[in-house]
């Protein structure tokens, strides 16, 4: 496991210009000093999870995913909720990590960017699946920051100062959780 201060940003959305991607790109922009936030961009390339394909070596996109996770100090997730749970493509990403050790004991948090009163199904599913991976959920970093389109500037980043501060705080919490465990 790497001891760097790289925090991997995982978006659960495939939609171009999604609010979830805006949240993570903003987190990247406001990362505290000494923290490098890296956005994973391989969600669409992952094959459907099939245990028969989880061979040695697994498919190339899975190798890249697992290596990217393994090299990260911590993970920050922002995902939409579809039909009361995680989007299938993002659940598929997590399924590829269940049998490995890349996430085990790694600090993980998430941002729920949904409108107030929404997103709890995705959070509950995320918590359950991360339990199977052995992730160390950083509870203080699991936050609700409702983001509507009016909060996003022309550059695709969130303009609201409080939301930006809170995202920086979450990255700081994850970096601290990693440092305390190292």
């Amino acid at each position: 496991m790497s001891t760097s201060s790289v925090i991997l940003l995982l978006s659960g959305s495939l939609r171009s210009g999604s609010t979830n991607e805006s949240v993570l790109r903003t987190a990247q922009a406001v990362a505290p000093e000494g923290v490098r936030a890296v956005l994973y961009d391989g969600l669409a390339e992952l094959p459907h999870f099939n245990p028969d394909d989880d061979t040695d070596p697994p498919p190339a996109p899975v190798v890249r995913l697992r290596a990217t996770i393994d090299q990260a100090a911590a993970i920050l997730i922002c995902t939409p909720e579809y039909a009361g749970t995680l989007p299938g493509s993002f659940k598929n990403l997590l399924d590829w990590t269940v049998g490995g050790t890349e996430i085990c004991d790694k600090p993980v948090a998430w941002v729920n960017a949904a409108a107030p009163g929404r997103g709890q199904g995705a959070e509950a599913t995320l918590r359950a699946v991360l339990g199977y991976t052995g992730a160390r959920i950083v509870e203080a970093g699991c936050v609700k920051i409702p983001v509507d389109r009016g909060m996003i500037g022309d550059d695709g980043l969130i303009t609201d100062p409080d939301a930006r501060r809170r995202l920086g705080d979450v990255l700081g919490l994850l970096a601290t959780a990693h440092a305390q465990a190292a």
Side-chain angles (χ1 to χ4, degrees), residues 70-110:
D70 190 50
Q71 293 166 5
I75 299 171
L76 178 62
I77 297 168
C78 190
T79 182
E81 177 178 274
Y82 291 160
T85 190
L86 295 173
S89 57
F90 191 66
K91 173 64 168 61
N92 182 61
L93 178 149
L94 293 173
D95 286 344
W96 278 110
T97 69
V98 170
T101 60
E102 298 83 14
I103 293 181
C104 190
D105 290 326
K106 193 169 296 270
V108 178
W110 59 79

Side-chain angles (χ1 to χ4, degrees), residues 27-92:
Q28 202 172 25
V30 301
E33 187 174 329
V35 173
R36 189 166 67 94
V38 176
L39 187 63
Y40 174 74
D41 64 357
L43 181 62
E45 285 77 41
L46 289 171
H48 295 290
F49 177 73
N50 178 344
D52 292 338
D53 295 334
D54 197 0
T55 57
D56 191 15
V62 175
V63 170
R64 178 176 171 247
L65 169 69
R66 290 177 176 171
T68 302
I69 290 171
D70 190 50
Q71 293 166 5
I75 299 171
L76 178 62
I77 297 168
C78 190
T79 182
E81 177 178 274
Y82 291 160
T85 190
L86 295 173
S89 57
F90 191 66
K91 173 64 168 61
N92 182 61

Side-chain angles (χ1 to χ4, degrees), residues 1 12 20 23-24 26 58 61 72 102 105 111 116 118 128 134 168:
M1 179 173 165
N20 299 280
V23 166
L24 294 176
T26 303
E102 298 83 14
D105 290 326
V111 175
R118 302 192 52 137

Side-chain angles (χ1 to χ4, degrees), residues 7-34:
I7 297 178
L8 181 61
L9 308 174
L10 295 177
S11 174
S13 179
L14 288 171
R15 189 170 58 82
S16 176
S18 76
T19 301
N20 299 280
E21 185 176 320
S22 290
V23 166
L24 294 176
R25 288 196 181 281
T26 303
Q28 202 172 25
V30 301
E33 187 174 329

Side-chain angles (χ1 to χ4, degrees), residues 84-175:
T85 190
L86 295 173
S89 57
F90 191 66
K91 173 64 168 61
N92 182 61
L93 178 149
L94 293 173
D95 286 344
W96 278 110
T97 69
V98 170
T101 60
E102 298 83 14
I103 293 181
C104 190
D105 290 326
K106 193 169 296 270
V108 178
W110 59 79
V111 175
N112 177 345
R118 302 192 52 137
Q120 292 86 351
E123 283 187 43
T125 305
L126 190 55
R127 183 178 297 282
V129 175
L130 289 173
Y132 284 98
T133 68
R136 185 166 34 101
I137 297 173
V138 178
E139 296 294 342
C142 298
V143 298
K144 295 177 193 275
I145 304 176
V147 176
D148 64 50
R149 286 275 171 216
M151 294 171 65
I152 300 173
D154 292 338
D155 59 359
L157 301 179
I158 296 170
T159 58
D160 181 78
D162 184 57
R164 293 172 67 89
R165 178 193 55 76
R166 292 180 68 201
L167 288 170
D169 290 349
V170 168
L171 291 176
L173 286 168
L174 285 169

